[in-house]
Amino acid sequence: MKRSPTRKGKSGFVSYLMVLSTGAILLFLMIHAYRRAMSAHAVQSDVQLRNDYSEKEDAVLRALVAITPNRAMRAMQNGSNADDASRNALSWESIFTESLQTANSVQSISDELAVTMELKNHVTSNFGDSELTEIDRIFRAVGGEEGFVSEGINRDLGDGFPAPLNAVDADVIARDRTHPLISDEKQYGADAITFLNNPFLNGDGVNAY
């Protein structure tokens, strides 16, 4: 009678090795898939954040385009400089503050709507939501200057930009930094001749009227 050959060692040794190998391979595959999923999530978050901020910036710019001309016209009226309240209402700070409020750029959903939709106690996943209301962290003058804007007069912006308006009145220069000032004291200088073909300018590049 034949007997089956016997093996040295414990039975099931090959099975243990296959199980461990298969488990290790599956574990590595899961780790790899998890890392790729986290990487894709990070990229998607960055894209969503950029889109959200881009939409908010567009809303703020639309509000600025609507508000600034009206404030500039009001600044040209008699009595617009009568007191501090009148001056503050026409300042760049007031314009920027109202633009942020009009654009609703601080929060994507209002508190009233959140209450109506029963979302008040939920955590928002919108990375663009912010409690940032300090406009000096959003709007600031260029080049490390003080204030919210840099005056556009007597300033050389370099190649690719038109020549700026010129002014010599110190009061006009100072107020142009804080208010949307329209004044006949601002004039095109000689540097603007290469950029403009304006019949209202004389040969010296200043207003002819």
Side-chain angles (χ1 to χ4, degrees), residues 20-92:
L20 292 175
S21 300
T22 304
I25 294 174
L26 292 177
L27 178 62
F28 288 137
L29 290 176
M30 290 177 60
I31 294 175
H32 179 69
Y34 176 77
R35 294 182 61 182
R36 292 198 59 178
M38 293 299 297
S39 177
H41 182 269
V43 172
Q44 184 178 5
S45 300
D46 291 339
V47 172
Q48 182 62 37
L49 180 63
R50 292 193 186 100
N51 291 337
D52 189 84
Y53 282 146
S54 178
E55 292 176 359
K56 293 180 184 292
E57 289 173 358
D58 291 341
V60 173
L61 290 176
R62 288 194 296 269
L64 281 174
V65 171
I67 294 173
T68 304
N70 293 321
R71 297 297 173 86
M73 289 186 291
R74 286 172 53 185
M76 297 172 62
Q77 298 176 0
N78 292 333
S80 61
N81 194 31
D83 49 48
D84 291 340
S86 300
R87 288 190 293 270
N88 292 336
L90 303 176
S91 66
W92 283 117

Side-chain angles (χ1 to χ4, degrees), residues 1 7 11 18 29 49 51 56-57 68 72 77 100 128 142 151 157-158 166-167 173 175 193 195-196 199 203 207 209:
M1 183 173 70
R7 296 175 297 178
S11 60
M18 292 181 61
L29 290 176
L49 180 63
N51 291 337
K56 293 180 184 292
E57 289 173 358
T68 304
Q77 298 176 0
L100 291 177
V142 299
E151 69 273 11
L157 298 177
N166 295 333
I173 296 174
R175 292 190 181 280
I193 296 300
F195 297 95
L196 299 175
N207 293 341
Y209 57 93

